[in-house]
Amino acid sequence: MLRSVTIEHYKGIKKLNVERLAPFTLVGGRNDIGKSSFLEAIFLFFDRQNAAALISHLGWRNAGPVDATPETIWSPAFHNMDTETPIVITTVDQSNITSDVRYRFIKNHRFQQNFQPFSISAPEKPTLQTQPTGQAAIGVLAKQGSQTLQDTYTSVGIGGVTQSGAVQRSENRQAIYLSSSRVIDTGAAARLSRLISENNEKQIIDAAQIINPRIKSLNVGAVMSGSPFIMAQVEGLPKWVPLSFLGAGIGIVVNIALAVATVPNGTVLIDEMEIGIHHSALSSVVSAISDIAYKNKTQIIASTHSYEFIKSAFNAFKEKKPDIFTYLRLERNKQDDVVAKVYPSDALEFTLESEWEIR
């Protein structure tokens, strides 16, 4: 579990240090303050071996088609689009181990490319090597203390994605990012299938019943194209129906529950967690999701715009273990830099009782 994170030079964040991350951390703040960027940066720390790591945010933000040029693809991820300064994400975990990942833009990286010749006119040289060619690339350097875990390079060109370098040790902690544009994640059906095979799907059904008590069971189906989807057995209906037929809210809750249940000892990042959930069910949903997280030792870091959700989350954890919940608010200081204000439990309780604005 992450205890703290420092993000440097990512999107609107020049440098942001956040201490006291908890098993369940809720992040508030005004629009365009950097809540989504904060979550994206943490996922970027875990997703460093993915060739598309630094461009995944374009899909999450519904950016649509973009020109396949290095500047267009990569520069939006850098603070003020300044690719001269690297993106750095540094974390400290529960064992007090410091790790960091550095993404740097290299304008003229030299890749070595080998290929087999089409003729055998020179049998004494069965392999030819091209001359080094310069190409824009993203270099990813990951370290744990002084030990290098990864030193790789990714380039996007006419031939697609080119990668080189070495991974000394893979990240063994998993992470899932659920963007605010989600309804049912594309991996949700596979996650449910896995839980069913382990006879462990009841926790998901219990969460679904908070939104729709008529749900009796969940399973996985597939259409002619082979794409899997989640089906629900509903009391009073003669046949199983796709979960999506029951409304967006139920799908969102099931999606979150599946993500939390299938990355044990990992991290789930959720943008605008309250989306699609009626205010009357917020406390129950938070309680159910936190129970799944506690059972699987999964850390949840989520953003919100909802005062009701902040209050519901605080009340849910106050009755259980208040020390596993943290609320922080992103703000801008006098220098216009994004900073984090952490609310201790007693301060948050007073603020909520006084109905002060803390979103």
Side-chain angles (χ1 to χ4, degrees):
M1 188 186 77
L2 303 182
R3 292 292 188 187
S4 70
V5 61
T6 300
I7 300 163
E8 300 177 64
H9 206 66
Y10 182 71
K11 291 192 173 181
I13 299 173
K14 184 177 181 181
K15 184 173 182 178
L16 171 65
N17 177 252
V18 178
E19 304 285 346
R20 296 178 61 180
L21 293 175
F24 194 115
T25 300
L26 199 56
V27 184
R30 296 180 180 274
N31 287 334
D32 199 33
I33 195 66
K35 298 185 299 297
S36 299
S37 297
F38 175 69
L39 301 180
E40 291 172 5
I42 295 175
F43 187 74
L44 199 57
F45 171 83
F46 291 106
D47 199 37
R48 56 184 177 263
Q49 291 180 42
N50 180 6
L54 207 58
I55 58 177
S56 295
H57 66 99
L58 297 174
W60 297 332
R61 301 296 184 99
N62 296 316
V66 296
D67 293 335
T69 62
E71 289 75 14
T72 303
I73 291 175
W74 286 318
S75 64
F78 290 80
H79 181 59
N80 290 339
M81 295 190 174
D82 172 18
T83 55
E84 297 294 325
T85 305
I87 298 167
V88 183
I89 304 108
T90 305
T91 67
V92 179
D93 65 16
Q94 75 275 15
S95 301
N96 207 33
I97 296 174
T98 300
S99 304
D100 65 82
V101 180
R102 181 179 300 262
Y103 289 82
R104 62 196 189 281
F105 181 77
I106 305 168
K107 291 183 179 179
N108 195 29
H109 181 68
R110 294 186 175 274
F111 287 88
Q112 293 284 350
Q113 297 178 339
N114 295 324
F115 65 91
Q116 296 295 324
F118 292 104
S119 68
I120 55 172
S121 58
E124 72 279 4
K125 295 181 180 179
T127 300
L128 301 181
Q129 182 172 313
T130 63
Q131 294 299 316
T133 56
Q135 192 172 7
I138 289 293
V140 182
L141 180 64
K143 289 188 173 183
Q144 189 174 90
S146 59
Q147 180 186 6
T148 297
L149 306 180
Q150 177 180 341
D151 188 6
T152 56
Y153 302 87
T154 301
S155 179
V156 178
I158 296 175
V161 177
T162 301
Q163 291 182 292
S164 65
V167 176
Q168 305 296 338
R169 196 181 77 195
S170 299
E171 174 61 63
N172 55 13
R173 294 171 296 181
Q174 291 182 290
I176 292 176
Y177 178 84
L178 302 178
S179 73
S180 60
S181 60
R182 69 188 179 275
V183 177
I184 297 181
D185 184 73
T186 54
R191 294 176 191 132
L192 177 60
S193 179
R194 169 183 157 187
L195 291 177
I196 291 174
S197 70
E198 298 169 351
N199 293 317
N200 202 20
E201 74 276 17
K202 186 178 184 302
Q203 56 189 323
I204 310 302
I205 297 171
D206 290 344
Q209 289 174 341
I210 295 172
I211 305 299
N212 190 332
R214 297 169 57 210
I215 290 179
K216 298 171 63 177
S217 188
L218 298 172
N219 213 321
V220 178
V223 294
M224 292 297 290
S225 64
S227 301
F229 63 97
I230 297 176
M231 300 183 67
Q233 184 183 29
V234 182
E235 184 179 350
L237 295 182
K239 296 181 180 180
W240 290 67
V241 297
L243 187 66
S244 58
F245 284 10
L246 305 180
I250 182 68
I252 287 171
V253 171
V254 167
N255 194 23
I256 293 172
L258 285 169
V260 173
T262 51
V263 285
N265 300 301
T267 302
V268 175
L269 303 141
I270 310 168
D271 201 7
E272 298 183 37
M273 186 172 174
E274 75 279 3
I275 287 179
I277 304 172
H278 193 267
H279 69 89
S280 63
L282 287 173
S283 292
S284 298
V285 169
V286 170
S287 182
I289 297 299
S290 65
D291 286 343
I292 297 173
Y294 184 79
K295 176 182 177 181
N296 292 279
K297 298 181 180 179
T298 303
Q299 183 176 25
I300 296 175
I301 304 175
S303 70
T304 182
H305 282 291
S306 169
Y307 183 87
E308 290 175 325
F309 188 72
I310 298 169
K311 192 170 184 177
S312 296
F314 174 77
N315 290 333
F317 285 102
K318 181 182 177 183
E319 298 173 359
K320 296 182 178 181
K321 296 181 178 180
D323 58 321
I324 68 172
F325 172 71
T326 290
Y327 175 70
L328 62 93
R329 187 176 191 268
L330 299 185
E331 304 172 348
R332 290 195 182 274
N333 61 17
K334 293 181 180 179
Q335 291 74 40
D336 203 35
D337 295 328
V338 179
V339 296
K341 180 179 180 180
V342 178
Y343 285 78
S345 180
D346 54 347
L348 180 59
E349 183 173 22
F350 176 79
T351 302
L352 291 171
E353 289 177 350
S354 303
E355 298 185 349
W356 290 355
E357 179 57 74
I358 57 170
R359 288 174 293 181

